[in-house]
Amino acid sequence: MPQYQAVKGARDIFPEEAAQWKYVEGVVHSVASLYGFSEIRTPVFEYTELFQRGIGATTDIVGKEMFSFQPDPNGRSITLRPEMTAGVMRAVLQKNLLASAPLHKLYYISELFRKERPQAGRQRQFSQFGAELLGASSPAAVAEVISLMMHVFESLGLHGLRLRINTLGGTEDRMRYREALRGYFSNHHTSLDEASKERLEKNPLRILDSKNPGIQEIVSGAPRLFDYLGVEAVGDFEKVLFYLGERGIAFEIDYRLVRGLDYYSYTAFEVTSSELGAQDAVGGGGRYDGLSRELGSSSDIPAVGFAVGIERLLMTMEKQGLFAALTPDAPLVYVILQQQEYSDHAMRVAYRLRKAGIRTEVDLVSRSMKSQMREANRVRSSYALFIGENEIGTGQYTLKNLVTSDQTTLSLDAIIEILHEPAMKEYVKS
Ligand code: HAM
């Protein structure tokens, strides 16, 4: 085994898989643009307090999953970003973007870091694409964001994903509910595990998220948040569902859905795939009107967003056979030298073809002509262009179609012209 391995929970992406990433990223860019979202890139690290305040001190992420360090002895602690929403809000507040326009629609494709125990679908370095709409959180804005996410899934050809949705109500609704939960779980105190007892003290809502089957059974009898909502929250939720229904987006209402981050209020949602194992959440999001104030803004900036885990998305696509037709770009021309002494000339020819926009390969490791031909076939080049004494002397090159075996002898200019004709390119591909 080689001496150095990738860090546990981080992985390499080799060209074949990189082609899948590029494809998915391309779809994300084009669907985001359909909905009028623009790309934002924020730093990979932020001051630790940003996440403590933004995501919430009692969450698993802040409690145990952050990669934090102190760059200098008296410096402030910084953290590799475990998610994007807090950083995007920080950036918008820092630049005072809302002063220039009331609404900002931003999206991102980014690497994140969480110190979780690695397993299938769960890594320590992973990636998300996501969108954040700042300046509005009306039901129409929520529906826009969910539609964008579902549109990406649909464009990728995914099927069978479950969208579950709930409303967490406003702050007061949740306070009433929290008290009700506290009462309920206190009555079951002796049956609670240690983690749940701790959550009961700090934030009883988090118990609903427990994966422990014993706790899940207790949770099934717990009061429902929905029954503690005021009319405003109910009306808002109904309007979101109306918009989704009107757009033909299938959803399931899940009154037990709470998310693992503290900044949510009103609508929250999650998408799962039955194609994945225990880590079946592909994406999630919701409204987070209170985050701006949490981060020191003098007013609540209405906001809503989502994020999708790209690794889990790719795993689902792989299972559904959606990459079958995806192949890395093959070269159009393979320049083949009859003898190594023509190497300089071959390099010049290859360079000219590339400058003319033609994907070209040329031998760099002094292979025999036979093995250059084998290589041209292996990389599925469409043409071979031969360089020999004759070609160099006359400036006329033999071009062989490797699919049909037809060949023709022409000047380099004529070859460039032929390879540029769209009809020819189509013909070459088929
Ligand atoms: P989240 O639910 O923590 O939400 O993460 C979103 C998605 O990221 C998950 O559904 C999952 O697919 C992926 N993910 C999370 N952790 C890992 C991991 N360790 N390994 C692989 N994939 C992972 C957020 O991050 C919120 N910022 C979403 C949001 C945006 N809410 C509003 N705006």
Side-chain angles (χ1 to χ4, degrees):
M1 201 191 285
Q3 188 176 358
Y4 293 106
Q5 309 281 312
V7 172
K8 216 172 129 207
R11 53 192 287 275
D12 305 302
I13 295 167
F14 290 100
E16 204 174 312
E17 202 190 332
Q20 302 176 349
W21 281 76
K22 234 164 74 177
Y23 166 63
V24 169
E25 287 163 6
V27 169
V28 170
H29 289 303
S30 60
V31 176
S33 134
L34 279 180
Y35 285 74
F37 280 67
S38 311
E39 189 177 2
I40 184 165
R41 301 182 189 201
T42 63
V44 168
F45 42 50
E46 300 275 359
Y47 288 118
T48 302
E49 305 104 79
L50 175 76
F51 302 118
Q52 288 168 335
R53 301 264 343 154
I55 301 174
T58 65
T59 59
D60 283 351
I61 297 181
V62 171
K64 52 187 185 198
E65 294 171 1
M66 298 206 298
F67 284 105
S68 302
F69 52 98
Q70 215 151 348
D72 33 64
N74 302 315
R76 284 160 79 183
S77 165
I78 62 179
T79 292
L80 296 181
R81 59 186 181 198
E83 61 104 51
M84 286 295 289
T85 312
V88 169
M89 181 60 93
R90 194 262 319 131
V92 167
L93 291 175
Q94 183 174 343
K95 206 162 163 56
N96 200 13
L97 276 190
L98 273 308
S100 60
L103 194 73
H104 288 273
K105 302 198 288 183
L106 304 167
Y107 79 98
Y108 47 82
I109 301 177
S110 311
E111 281 82 38
L112 293 316
F113 305 87
R114 294 185 193 176
K115 207 190 296 167
E116 298 190 82
R117 203 158 45 79
Q119 64 180 85
R122 196 208 262 161
Q123 296 168 219
R124 291 185 155 184
Q125 178 181 328
F126 64 99
S127 299
Q128 289 179 344
F129 73 84
E132 313 291 352
L133 193 156
L134 291 100
S137 63
S138 58
V142 174
E144 279 293 272
V145 161
I146 297 179
S147 303
L148 161 52
M149 176 181 72
M150 299 307 281
H151 201 133
V152 171
F153 296 148
E154 200 183 310
S155 300
L156 292 170
L158 282 154
H159 53 87
L161 295 181
R162 276 176 72 200
L163 169 64
R164 289 178 304 123
I165 188 163
N166 191 18
T167 177
L168 306 177
T171 316
E172 284 178 15
D173 300 328
R174 272 197 312 285
M175 261 158 59
R176 276 201 302 275
Y177 180 56
R178 198 168 286 140
E179 283 323 301
L181 271 189
R182 196 163 269 141
Y184 173 81
F185 286 120
S186 300
N187 288 340
H188 292 80
H189 198 267
T190 47
S191 317
L192 294 181
D193 58 13
E194 279 315 307
S196 301
K197 280 181 184 155
E198 199 179 312
R199 287 169 169 177
L200 181 59
E201 293 298 314
K202 292 183 180 160
N203 184 0
L205 249 87
R206 191 116 298 128
I207 303 177
L208 303 180
D209 240 0
S210 171
K211 299 277 183 287
N212 179 339
I215 301 297
Q216 271 304 319
E217 203 170 315
I218 301 174
V219 163
S220 66
R224 287 190 326 176
L225 172 56
F226 199 78
D227 299 323
Y228 291 78
L229 297 180
V231 282
E232 192 211 332
V234 174
D236 174 272
F237 192 46
E238 280 172 352
K239 196 78 209 245
V240 171
L241 302 183
F242 165 75
Y243 282 132
L244 296 181
E246 209 175 38
R247 294 173 186 199
I249 296 175
F251 59 84
E252 295 163 40
I253 299 173
D254 180 350
Y255 293 116
R256 302 262 171 231
L257 177 79
V258 286
R259 305 248 317 124
L261 303 94
D262 272 355
Y263 48 58
Y264 294 110
S265 58
Y266 297 96
T267 306
F269 53 88
E270 209 154 83
V271 174
T272 51
S273 161
S274 56
E275 235 85 55
L276 302 173
Q279 304 302 319
D280 64 350
V282 176
R287 267 176 72 174
Y288 50 95
D289 302 350
L291 178 62
S292 57
R293 206 182 274 277
E294 214 45 73
L295 300 184
S297 160
S298 54
S299 58
D300 283 349
I301 296 171
V304 53
F306 74 85
V308 168
I310 302 184
E311 288 81 3
R312 293 186 194 174
L313 184 78
L314 293 176
M315 282 164 75
T316 308
M317 290 182 67
E318 185 81 61
K319 290 255 168 74
Q320 297 188 355
L322 297 173
F323 290 129
L326 204 65
T327 46
D329 287 344
L332 195 59
V333 180
Y334 206 107
V335 176
I336 296 196
L337 303 62
Q338 281 165 1
Q339 284 176 41
Q340 279 310 316
E341 59 192 280
Y342 307 138
S343 173
D344 294 352
H345 191 88
M347 298 298 277
R348 278 196 292 275
V349 167
Y351 186 66
R352 265 201 66 194
L353 291 171
R354 288 166 178 159
K355 289 294 267 191
I358 295 164
R359 285 193 308 278
T360 307
E361 277 291 345
V362 63
D363 178 57
L364 296 176
V365 285
S366 309
R367 274 183 270 228
S368 70
M369 191 170 149
K370 202 167 145 201
S371 61
Q372 290 175 61
M373 274 307 283
R374 210 178 301 125
E375 184 60 11
N377 284 314
R378 193 187 68 81
V379 297
R380 301 182 359 278
S381 180
S382 304
Y383 287 90
L385 185 151
F386 295 95
I387 310 262
E389 198 181 341
N390 240 346
E391 281 81 359
I392 294 175
T394 60
Q396 299 284 308
Y397 298 86
T398 304
L399 183 71
K400 180 175 179 181
N401 183 321
L402 294 177
V403 182
T404 61
S405 293
D406 291 345
Q407 58 182 54
T408 170
T409 301
L410 294 165
S411 71
L412 205 51
D413 285 339
I415 288 175
I416 287 171
E417 205 164 305
I418 286 181
L419 295 180
H420 262 155
E421 275 177 34
M424 191 72 177
K425 278 191 184 164
E426 283 314 306
Y427 163 74
V428 163
K429 271 190 193 153
S430 59

